[in-house]
DNA sequence: TGTACATCAGTGAACGCGCGTTCACTGATGTAC
DNA sequence: TGTACATCAGTGAACGCGCGTTCACTGATGTAC
């Protein structure tokens, strides 16, 4: 791979990185494939060889984001302590990710702009969920077994954490992101403390 | 107001209704001012006399939506029962609104597309919050007194309900809206049961 | 009650913009023999 | 080892589209006298 080569060599990854930049800078509303190609130093028609369309690119980016989220949740789970403490640590990590990667986090839940049937996206999303779900950790059980009542606790914790994350980045806890995150983190810890049955 | 009149007579409201339709049909991503004007039977430049731009129209629509949400929450709160039961009833109403008015609900949290400083929007949003906050119901206390620790419980309940709503419409509880809503409602009731201190 | 006139709320044609996409092409790479 | 050729991964010009917005205009309404 040479910088001056006609062939880029790693355009797929370069486009994903450029897309992250554009997303961070312009927000989801201002995102465009043309701008992304331009940032990657390539013409507007080049991306076609790697992603069928904008949806495909955003879907791949979203899968990558879910992978990062899963990694951060897994790292947080390594904390020493009780099950309750590990769950709280994961919640904080989730919240931190949502604030730090705001636009990316928003993208991850925009069904409109993603191909929800994409295998890689499904895989990474379910991996993140499986990390959250301490009950089945390490397990390769399929995600979302609707009939399984044991899923309830995980869904509930997920909803709580997700609700705090969403309201935080949306500004409902104040417009200063750092302060809002601090407020949300404190409340989240307390709420999870109520919920988690630390047997 | 005559149907054939040169002057519409109530174009502002007609545009808001048309915008709702467009939003419901095309989603937030496919929304446009031109299409809205067309549905209202008016040329593309007519809306300028009532809303400065698309953001202004969407902001007004969002304020209207918060008003509806507040009304539905208030109605749900009229249920006979304990404080805990009233809180659960509000949670169900919140969830129901989010599913029934999906695109509108999504719009309400899109900071990108709204003028968050708009007085009417702020007013209706804080009214909805005040209904949720049973502690200050009927009170005209200002919203979001950050230093007030008594706010914590309300924020927490709000986050839980909001998290369930968001994950429900996003499809995390399954792709069938009715089933997803049923699942979320059941889990939500249980979660609020844990949280609410029914003294 | 009638008239003059200002203001308000629309029309409709036109403009420029950035977008995704197409198409014929070309340079670089990989492979068969 | 060298050559021919297929395939891959780009270029760059062009296209049509829907968008928000502008501008000069006009019909309807409201008001002063």
């Amino acid at each position: 791979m040479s910088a001056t080569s006609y062939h880029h060599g790693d355009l797929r990854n370069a486009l994903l990185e450029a897309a992250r930049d554009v997303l961070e800078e312009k927000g989801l509303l201002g995102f465009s494939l043309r701008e992304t190609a331009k940032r990657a130093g390539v013409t507007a028609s080049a991306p076609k060889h790697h992603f069928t369309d904008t949806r495909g690119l955003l879907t791949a980016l979203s899968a990558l984001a879910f992978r990062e989220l899963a990694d951060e949740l897994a790292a947080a789970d390594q904390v020493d302590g009780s099950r309750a403490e590990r769950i709280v640590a994961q919640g904080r990590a989730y919240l931190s990710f949502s604030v730090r990667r705001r636009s990316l986090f928003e993208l991850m839940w925009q069904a409109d702009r993603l191909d929800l049937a994409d295998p890689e996206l499904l895989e990474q999303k379910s991996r993140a969920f499986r990390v959250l779900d301490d009950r089945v950790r390490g397990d390769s059980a399929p995600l979302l077994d609707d009939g399984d009542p044991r899923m309830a606790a995980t869904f509930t914790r997920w909803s709580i954490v997700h609700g705090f994350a969403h309201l935080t980045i949306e500004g409902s806890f104040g417009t200063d992101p750092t302060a809002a995150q601090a407020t949300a983190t404190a409340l989240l810890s307390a709420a999870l403390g109520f919920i988690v049955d630390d047997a």
Side-chain angles (χ1 to χ4, degrees), chain A residues 7 13-14 19 38 42 49 52 54 57 73 75 80 95 97 99 115 132 136 145-146 153 156 180 199:
Chain A
H7 285 115
N13 285 323
K38 194 178 161 194
V42 107
H49 291 278
T52 54
T54 304
L57 172 59
L73 291 176
D80 268 350
L95 205 52
F97 181 90
V99 171
D115 174 12
L132 269 180
V136 296
D145 179 353
D146 284 353
T156 298

Side-chain angles (χ1 to χ4, degrees), chain A residues 51-117:
Chain A
F51 305 98
T52 54
D53 54 13
T54 304
R55 180 178 305 272
L57 172 59
L58 290 178
T59 299
L61 183 57
S62 190
L64 222 56
F66 270 110
R67 176 193 287 272
E68 283 180 38
L69 175 59
D71 287 347
E72 295 188 16
L73 291 176
D77 192 62
Q78 295 305 310
V79 75
D80 268 350
S82 66
R83 172 165 168 266
E85 283 164 341
R86 284 188 287 112
I87 286 176
V88 168
Q90 281 198 25
R92 287 166 182 263
Y94 194 103
L95 205 52
S96 164
F97 181 90
S98 72
V99 171
R100 204 170 355 100
R101 307 261 181 261
R102 177 177 170 158
S103 292
L104 203 54
F105 183 79
E106 286 173 354
L107 169 67
M108 291 157 77
W109 311 103
Q110 298 287 320
D112 269 8
R113 316 215 46 166
L114 303 174
D115 174 12
L116 294 180

Side-chain angles (χ1 to χ4, degrees), chain A residues 1-7:
Chain A
M1 170 186 172
S2 144
T4 56
S5 165
Y6 187 95
H7 285 115

Side-chain angles (χ1 to χ4, degrees), chain A residues 75-194:
Chain A
D77 192 62
Q78 295 305 310
V79 75
D80 268 350
S82 66
R83 172 165 168 266
E85 283 164 341
R86 284 188 287 112
I87 286 176
V88 168
Q90 281 198 25
R92 287 166 182 263
Y94 194 103
L95 205 52
S96 164
F97 181 90
S98 72
V99 171
R100 204 170 355 100
R101 307 261 181 261
R102 177 177 170 158
S103 292
L104 203 54
F105 183 79
E106 286 173 354
L107 169 67
M108 291 157 77
W109 311 103
Q110 298 287 320
D112 269 8
R113 316 215 46 166
L114 303 174
D115 174 12
L116 294 180
D118 178 74
E120 179 65 12
L121 177 59
L122 283 176
E123 166 60 26
Q124 296 304 331
K125 193 168 178 178
S126 84
R127 192 177 146 243
F129 182 84
R130 257 184 266 120
V131 176
L132 269 180
D133 186 7
D134 65 326
R135 182 178 49 73
V136 296
R137 177 145 42 259
D139 204 285
S140 63
L143 182 63
L144 302 187
D145 179 353
D146 284 353
D148 185 352
R150 298 176 306 163
M151 220 58 162
T154 305
F155 275 159
T156 298
R157 276 189 273 115
W158 185 21
S159 294
I160 293 174
V161 172
H162 189 80
F164 273 109
H166 197 212
L167 291 180
T168 300
I169 64 179
E170 187 269 333
S172 293
F173 299 148
T175 47
D176 173 36
T178 309
Q181 186 180 347
T183 300
T185 302
L187 297 178
L188 171 64
S189 303
L192 287 176
F194 271 106

Side-chain angles (χ1 to χ4, degrees), chain A residues 8-13 15 45-53 56-57 60:
Chain A
H8 185 287
D10 194 21
L11 183 56
R12 189 189 149 89
N13 285 323
L15 284 170
S45 47
K48 254 296 166 49
H49 291 278
H50 301 276
F51 305 98
T52 54
D53 54 13
L57 172 59

